Amino acid sequence: MSMYIVCLDLEGVLVPEIWIAFAKESGIPELTRTTRDEPDYDKLMNWRLGILREHGLGLKEIQETISKIDPLPGAKEFLDKLRRMTQVIIISDTFTQFAGPLIEKLGLPTIFCNTLEVAPDGEITGFKMRVKESKLTTVKALQSIGYETIAAGDSHNDLAMIQAGKAGFLFKSTEQIKKDYPQIPAYETYEELFDALKEAIER
């Protein structure tokens, strides 16, 4: 039996988009831009940090918003069921300082993400990406040590890891991405996604 690892995106798939929640909470509509709108993550993050600086907002304010965010309805149950069947790693472009509370609410699954650089006064001064193209690099690394990967995500930055594995799925994605990638099966509910993952593992 070959060994499988299911690789899932975090935001938009298991939890709401953190920056969208923070944009609502802080009343700064520009912060609703995500990787769905701006595929270049470096550009997006630098732009976000500029807006935070402009408004004098730091890590503490974002963490306060995050503490109020709950996983998407059904996400934890889906993950629990999936983790009983196979190994799961969440691969996200988010940051450890953001993901902590959310991962706790999801039952502490393994997550690979990045790190923010934070000044003593709480200002977010920069960010450190673990590796370039972290999602694709991570699934390739898993494959290099003998694992088959199956991935699901919702956004531009998930496409490479979705297409690099034995099977891959879009989940709660945009109409545009679904139209641009008709060859990738797309699902809207955790039941459908679970069945598709199960089938891919048993194939």
Side-chain angles (χ1 to χ4, degrees):
M1 176 179 152
S2 28
M3 297 295 292
Y4 288 99
I5 291 188
V6 171
C7 301
L8 299 175
D9 176 37
L10 178 66
E11 293 180 65
V13 172
L14 298 167
V15 304
E17 293 278 352
I18 291 168
W19 287 96
I20 290 178
F22 186 64
K24 285 192 185 123
E25 189 88 3
S26 61
I28 306 171
E30 304 97 296
L31 287 174
T32 55
R33 281 171 74 82
T34 68
T35 44
R36 291 172 167 199
D37 313 298
E38 172 53 81
D40 184 334
Y41 194 71
D42 264 14
K43 210 160 119 185
L44 180 65
M45 269 312 295
N46 283 314
W47 183 78
R48 284 166 169 168
L49 296 187
I51 290 177
L52 292 180
R53 267 192 296 277
E54 223 172 279
H55 291 267
L57 296 168
L59 181 59
K60 185 170 82 70
E61 288 81 4
I62 299 182
Q63 284 177 329
E64 278 167 12
T65 295
I66 291 171
S67 71
K68 299 177 201 162
I69 298 176
D70 283 321
L72 294 169
K76 184 180 183 298
E77 296 72 8
F78 161 74
L79 212 47
D80 287 347
K81 195 170 154 192
L82 189 58
R83 287 164 72 196
R84 278 196 288 272
M85 179 173 71
T86 186
Q87 298 290 323
V88 178
I89 296 176
I90 296 171
I91 305 175
S92 170
D93 278 339
T94 194
F95 305 94
T96 47
Q97 293 93 332
F98 290 177
L102 293 167
I103 288 301
E104 218 161 290
K105 289 180 185 176
L106 286 168
L108 297 173
T110 299
I111 182 167
F112 293 171
C113 59
N114 305 300
T115 309
L116 290 169
E117 292 162 355
V118 184
D121 68 356
E123 185 196 337
I124 301 171
T125 52
F127 55 96
K128 198 171 174 336
M129 303 302 273
R130 201 163 40 84
V131 283
K132 232 179 151 34
E133 291 200 9
S134 64
K135 296 185 180 198
L136 179 61
T137 308
T138 303
V139 296
K140 284 190 164 159
L142 291 169
Q143 290 162 3
S144 79
I145 54 170
Y147 286 100
E148 295 246 34
T149 62
I150 298 171
D154 70 322
S155 218
H156 287 286
N157 60 346
D158 299 312
L159 292 165
M161 85 167 173
I162 287 171
Q163 292 173 307
K166 182 187 185 225
F169 310 103
L170 287 168
F171 185 65
K172 296 184 186 292
S173 190
T174 65
E175 289 312 313
Q176 191 56 53
I177 293 176
K178 289 190 276 194
K179 211 166 84 195
D180 292 344
Y181 295 87
Q183 71 280 22
I184 304 175
Y187 300 108
E188 296 301 318
T189 70
Y190 290 117
E191 288 75 23
E192 293 173 318
L193 181 59
F194 181 84
D195 291 344
L197 291 166
K198 187 172 191 285
E199 195 186 318
I201 287 170
E202 289 168 356
R203 259 212 303 275

